[in-house]
Amino acid sequence: MTPLPAPLRWLYSLEWRRGFFDWARSDGVTWVYIFKVLFAAFLTLWLAMRLELPQPRTAMITVFIVMQPQSGQVFAKSFYRFLGTLAGSAVMVALIALFAQNTGLFLGSLAIWVGLCSAGAARYRNFRAYGFVLAGYTAAMVGLPALAHPDGAFMAAVWRVLEISLGIICSTLVSAAILPQTASAAMRNALYQRFGVFALFVTDGLRGRSRREAFEADNVRFIAEAVGLEGLRSVTVFEDPHMRRRNGRLSRLNSEFMGITTRFNALHQLLERLRNSGTDQVVAAIKPGLQDLAEALDGFSGRALTSFDAARLASALATYKENLPARVRSLRATFQESAPSDAEQLDFHTAYELLYRFVDDLHSYAQTHASLADHRHERERWDEPFTPQTNWLASAASGIRAAFILVVLGSYWVATAWPSGATMTLIAAATVGLSAATPNPKRMAFQMACGTLLGALIGFVEMFFIFPLIDGFPLLCVMLAPVIVLGSFLTSRPQYAGVGLGLLIFFSTGSVPDNLTVYNPYAFINDYIAMIMGMLVCAAAGAIILPPNSRWLWRG
């Protein structure tokens, strides 16, 4: 047979295919996400302009906010964005009806509402927090401009709901139809891989191989993974009916995993104390029981735990648990021959009591995991769900901070009558809400200000030097595409997510033309100054006013 030419041999080589699939699973996913953002944004903008909506940019901004790499995340975020928009619009109409003639009372009531919503955003995790964010800043973004024309407040709210609905529809369709990345697949993979890592962690601890620093780091990682899986679980119910049938068991599984990590931590602390205190006699007495459990888990360490494997694990743990009392009695009889002290006997019994409780919880976890193979199961009934929530005191501090910012900036606007003061106040309301749901509000607000500054510089060039020279929607898309690609790429990198979000949202707010484009450099510069000022005030408030890293907020 004639050998293939060198280029074809390289094309069919295993290394090339392995490299391509590695790229597809990492950077390839990012570029698919960027392409979907581009397509959804331009589709939404085109439809909004064709339908002659008052602010097509609002529909386009919705795409940037709700688009996520996984389709389930898009469904969940869109759902909570729609609910938050309805709530914020309803509150805005009520406030306008009550206080249209009194700006002070309107701003005070709005500050209280935004504060409550920011506290809710800080309290709840996942996309529920985003519903609170939208409820807060929708009232500000629609209500503040409507103060000058209160008779148009209701129609402004209706148009905003329609614009956001259009963005939501386009985002969900594009996410679900074009190379969809499902959250349920990601959750299954994370769920199956997690136990293998934990089993290896347990066997190392039982055999005394784990170091303190690595043990603490792994514990923190397991907690973070549990919180992340809870977020995925809340998303999968929107996209996968099979996962929705197992929602109770998935919640139970996460709670049980948190339980077994806590149980093992208590056992490990006791074992470390015994090993470090030189009580070799007690360590030698309990070692055989620990070794039996480690050997039972060896077959599951470092490998994915499927539902079939979980059933085997449950059977092995049931056998171990059944034989453990007899094993303990035998070891205790041998231990008694060495005439141990009362303290040593207490340590012996405490170690095996903790071990039994850990194995019992681990057995329950394995049973729940194995039950995922069935569409219906009695373990679906679960009354103690794991609910990740922030400390109520830290949430209240976030709400107070947001209300204070709105009062200060609103008062400055009223006192100076600055034409862009309303923009500064409503952007501050949006920023304080978006940053409230993050661990570091100060950093998020500052990054958004940096992204907005970059958007202002690019937007000024495009608005006044490029847009007047082009004609037609395709050329507009060509000019907007580089900015959207850059912003989407930055949002896909956690360390620069705030910069990307600020660039996408506020470049669109100030620089994307409407159906009737107005070229006003004075208003353009003033509005961007107002946006950046509002964000910098939010960043300063996050660092000064009840900062979330204060220790007293997290006591108890």
Side-chain angles (χ1 to χ4, degrees), residues 84-297:
T85 300
L86 288 180
S89 299
V91 169
M92 182 279 299
V93 171
L95 293 180
I96 285 288
L98 292 172
F99 307 119
Q101 306 301 320
N102 193 318
T103 304
L105 287 177
F106 177 84
L107 289 175
S109 303
L110 182 63
I112 293 173
W113 173 249
V114 172
L116 291 173
C117 292
S118 296
R123 174 71 170 169
Y124 293 94
R125 294 301 181 188
N126 310 325
F127 295 126
R128 296 177 191 172
Y130 188 63
F132 283 96
V133 171
L134 260 294
Y137 83 68
T138 296
M141 297 194 79
V142 181
L144 291 174
L147 268 180
H149 304 284
D151 56 324
F154 178 77
M155 285 308 302
V158 171
W159 283 121
R160 183 169 181 84
V161 171
L162 291 176
E163 290 157 358
I164 286 175
S165 299
L166 177 62
I168 287 173
I169 291 171
C170 292
S171 300
T172 52
L173 285 177
V174 170
S175 179
I178 301 177
L179 299 175
Q181 299 286 327
T182 62
S184 55
M187 182 170 186
R188 287 192 191 95
N189 182 62
L191 194 64
Y192 291 169
Q193 297 294 335
R194 178 177 68 172
F195 186 81
V197 177
F198 179 73
L200 184 61
F201 169 77
V202 170
T203 55
D204 285 344
L206 293 175
R207 290 173 172 139
R209 298 174 182 171
S210 57
R211 297 181 180 179
R212 181 175 179 180
E213 295 79 7
F215 181 87
E216 293 176 353
D218 287 339
N219 257 330
V220 172
R221 185 184 64 182
F222 289 136
I223 294 172
E225 287 178 354
V227 174
L229 275 173
E230 177 63 20
L232 282 176
R233 183 197 63 80
S234 66
V235 165
T236 56
V237 298
F238 288 91
E239 68 172 14
D240 191 338
H242 296 284
M243 301 300 279
R244 190 157 52 245
R245 281 176 174 267
R246 295 159 175 77
N247 188 49
R249 278 171 281 172
L250 292 171
S251 177
R252 178 172 187 163
L253 200 65
N254 225 18
S255 293
E256 289 174 340
F257 184 78
M258 295 291 286
I260 61 177
T261 56
T262 303
R263 290 288 192 197
F264 184 70
N265 185 59
L267 174 62
H268 184 268
Q269 295 297 330
L270 175 63
L271 295 178
E272 285 297 293
R273 179 176 65 80
L274 295 176
R275 288 165 180 154
N276 295 331
S277 62
T279 53
D280 298 334
Q281 187 176 354
V282 180
V283 173
I286 62 178
K287 185 176 180 179
L290 303 179
Q291 184 66 25
D292 291 344
L293 179 59
E295 290 175 356
L297 293 177

Side-chain angles (χ1 to χ4, degrees), residues 419-433:
S420 297
T423 300
M424 176 181 65
T425 307
L426 66 88
I427 293 301
T431 304
V432 77

Side-chain angles (χ1 to χ4, degrees), residues 386-450:
F386 166 63
T387 306
Q389 291 182 339
T390 305
N391 183 324
W392 70 267
L393 201 57
S395 304
S398 180
I400 293 170
R401 190 184 312 117
F404 180 80
I405 291 171
L406 263 291
V407 168
V408 169
L409 294 184
S411 301
Y412 177 81
W413 169 40
V414 172
T416 61
W418 183 24
S420 297
T423 300
M424 176 181 65
T425 307
L426 66 88
I427 293 301
T431 304
V432 77
L434 289 169
S435 61
T438 62
N440 192 338
K442 173 190 68 174
R443 182 174 181 269
M444 183 67 171
F446 182 75
Q447 281 197 346
M448 290 176 67
C450 294

Side-chain angles (χ1 to χ4, degrees), residues 392-404 439 441-442 538-554:
W392 70 267
L393 201 57
S395 304
S398 180
I400 293 170
R401 190 184 312 117
F404 180 80
K442 173 190 68 174
C538 292
I544 298 172
I545 303 172
L546 304 175
N549 59 351
S550 301
R551 290 188 177 182
W552 62 273
L553 286 177
W554 304 96

Side-chain angles (χ1 to χ4, degrees), residues 290-342:
L290 303 179
Q291 184 66 25
D292 291 344
L293 179 59
E295 290 175 356
L297 293 177
D298 278 338
F300 304 92
S301 300
R303 52 173 293 184
L305 185 75
T306 63
S307 300
F308 175 76
D309 293 328
R312 290 196 302 109
L313 174 63
S315 176
L317 290 173
T319 302
Y320 175 86
K321 191 168 62 169
E322 182 181 352
N323 296 332
L324 185 60
R327 179 69 161 156
V328 172
R329 285 192 294 270
S330 173
L331 292 172
R332 182 173 56 193
T334 305
F335 182 54
Q336 295 288 354
E337 295 175 359
S338 60
S341 64
D342 291 342

